[in-house]
């Protein structure tokens, strides 16, 4: 049995869902993979709880859900005021899990890699702006840097492009990458106003904390940037053309529907060119997704056309990708 020490950064909807899965499936992971995961620290915006012997995750969930912050847990644990930079240096962990929204996380990701720690992240901006530097550092050191949950939640498009199709040349990807906009557009088709539809998406926990990034196409732009980096070559979000759905009216979506079409926020990813914009797609198209689904149509030279479709948002759905990456990193450590 290999014990793997995990440092969890972020204890919001996704971080707590990670903890719940580790509680519920820890035994299964030990049996299935011979890996025992020990969470040695958890950080939220109130502080860092750190215990080298391993944190009681049920207790952490209870404290967070009762008091809203981990720093209330002073009876059983020390709460530290580390910056993430200090935390990744000080805390002895094998795998750093970043499920925060920290836009500047790339600097402490780099520090963690230099400390020899693997990274699993669902946080998009570090990759959308610093992919080449982060991957360069990870590859130089032979350390896993895994980010399945940044694009299409747990639907395994990153794994597919990074670990399969290795003999293929990707020619083009057309993809719906943002669930909030799909949700809003489909509710508008049913007659709901934009604002009401957005509120429903927020209630379901699929919109970003600040949903303007979803509506303006920035979230989809980050994800399309990451897809370009993986399928073609590193670029940054600054090179991407983005138009969101803010100007789409209920009349437009209903007129499209009357023609047998639906408006969805589509990203087109080709070598050196990434665009995100609302487009009409036929109702029978794989891109005519509903609810919190994402879908990608990928064209390659050998395989031709393939479709990847599945949940693209939601805490549990995101954790599918995060936990899968934690297991991949752990198995690599186990293999030595
Ligand atoms: N806010 C995102 C979406 C989910 O609506 O697709 C997280 O990536």
């Amino acid at each position: 049995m290999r014990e793997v020490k995990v440092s969890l950064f972020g204890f919001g909807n996704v971080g707590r869902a990670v903890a719940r899965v580790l509680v519920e499936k820890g035994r299964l992971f030990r049996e299935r993979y011979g890996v025992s995961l020990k969470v040695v620290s958890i950080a939220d915006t109130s502080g860092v709880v750190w215990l080298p012997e391993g944190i009681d995750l049920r207790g952490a969930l209870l404290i967070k859900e009762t008091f809203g912050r981990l720093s209330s847990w002073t009876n059983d644990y020390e709460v530290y005021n580390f910056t993430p930079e200090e935390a990744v240096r000080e805390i002895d962990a094998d795998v750093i899990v970043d499920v925060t929204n920290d836009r500047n996380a790339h600097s402490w990701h780099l520090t963690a890699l230099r400390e020899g720690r693997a990274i699993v992240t669902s946080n998009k901006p570090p990759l959308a702006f610093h992919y080449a530097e982060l991957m360069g550092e990870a590859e130089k050191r032979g350390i896993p840097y895994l980010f399945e949950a940044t694009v299409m939640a747990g639907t395994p498009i990153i794994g597919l492009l990074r670990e399969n199709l290795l003999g293929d040349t990707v020619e083009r990807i057309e993809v719906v990458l943002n669930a909030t906009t799909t949700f809003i557009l489909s509710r508008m088709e049913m007659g709901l106003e934009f604002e009401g539809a957005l509120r429903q998406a927020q209630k379901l926990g699929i919109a970003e904390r600040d949903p303007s990034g979803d509506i303006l196409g920035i979230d989809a732009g980050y994800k399309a940037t990451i897809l370009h980096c993986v399928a073609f070559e590193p670029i940054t979000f600054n090179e991407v053309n983005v138009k969101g759905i803010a100007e789409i009216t209920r009349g437009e979506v209903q007129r499209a529907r009357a023609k047998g079409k639906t408006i969805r926020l589509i990203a087109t990813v080709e070598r050196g060119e990434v665009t995100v914009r609302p487009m009409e797609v036929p109702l029978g198209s794989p891109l005519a997704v509903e609810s919190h689904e994402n879908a990608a149509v990928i064209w390659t030279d050998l395989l031709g056309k393939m479709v990847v479709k599945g949940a693209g948002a939601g805490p549990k759905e995101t954790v599918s990708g995060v936990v899968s990456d934690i297991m991949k990193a752990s198995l690599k450590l186990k293999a030595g």
Side-chain angles (χ1 to χ4, degrees), residues 26 47 59 66 74 112 125 129 148 178 184 201 204 206 225 237 258 261 264 284 298 305 307 311 321 325 328:
T66 310
T74 44
F129 291 96
E148 185 63 67
N178 183 266
I184 292 172
L204 287 174
I206 59 178
T225 305
F237 175 70
K261 295 188 172 177
R264 291 291 177 262
I298 304 172
K305 175 179 164 182
V307 177
D325 279 349
K328 279 186 193 174

Side-chain angles (χ1 to χ4, degrees), residues 30-254:
R30 286 193 290 279
E31 287 168 3
R32 198 191 273 176
Y33 304 114
V35 167
S36 171
L37 298 172
K38 182 168 84 175
V39 177
V40 293
S41 71
I42 308 177
D44 73 356
T45 46
S46 74
V48 183
V49 174
W50 174 24
L51 191 71
E53 293 74 36
I55 290 175
D56 166 20
L57 295 177
R58 282 194 182 85
L61 287 164
L62 190 67
I63 292 287
K64 182 76 178 182
E65 272 147 27
T66 310
F67 299 106
R69 55 187 135 67
L70 279 171
S71 61
S72 299
W73 211 5
T74 44
N75 285 351
D76 305 306
Y77 289 96
E78 285 287 343
V79 180
Y80 297 82
N81 284 322
F82 290 142
T83 63
E85 195 84 34
E86 288 163 345
V88 296
R89 262 192 238 278
E90 290 294 324
I91 296 170
D92 178 24
D94 302 304
V95 181
I96 304 291
V97 177
D98 174 9
V99 289
T100 70
N101 294 313
D102 181 358
R103 292 186 53 81
N104 299 314
H106 72 280
S107 69
W108 54 271
H109 286 193
L110 285 171
T111 305
L113 290 169
R114 289 178 188 136
E115 294 287 331
R117 313 197 198 286
I119 308 247
V120 169
T121 184
S122 62
N123 185 7
K124 289 155 266 188
L127 285 143
F129 291 96
H130 304 276
Y131 185 93
E133 196 183 1
L134 289 163
M135 291 313 295
E137 196 66 38
E139 276 162 20
K140 190 167 82 189
R141 291 165 193 276
I143 296 172
Y145 186 95
L146 304 173
F147 50 91
E148 185 63 67
T150 57
V151 183
M152 295 178 80
T155 303
I157 191 162
I158 299 294
L160 181 81
L161 293 169
R162 281 182 100 187
E163 294 157 30
N164 297 289
L165 301 174
L166 297 185
D168 285 55
T169 302
V170 175
E171 291 164 347
R172 178 184 169 86
I173 305 174
E174 282 182 10
V175 56
V176 176
L177 288 168
N178 183 266
T180 303
T181 45
T182 299
F183 191 86
I184 292 172
L185 291 166
S186 58
R187 288 297 183 277
M188 285 165 76
E189 285 165 0
M190 294 172 193
L192 219 70
E193 287 297 344
F194 189 98
E195 288 300 327
L198 172 59
R199 271 197 301 279
Q200 282 190 9
Q202 286 174 307
K203 245 195 220 150
L204 287 174
I206 59 178
E208 296 299 307
R209 201 168 297 162
D210 171 5
S212 58
D214 293 302
I215 291 151
L216 298 174
I218 294 166
D219 176 76
Y222 287 163
K223 293 167 177 168
T225 305
I226 297 169
L227 281 186
H228 187 282
C229 293
V230 175
F232 299 106
E233 62 194 4
I235 56 163
T236 72
F237 175 70
N238 300 328
E239 295 158 74
V240 171
N241 279 310
V242 172
K243 183 172 172 5
I245 64 159
E247 288 158 28
I248 303 284
T249 63
R250 205 167 55 173
E252 277 174 292
V253 296
Q254 288 175 341

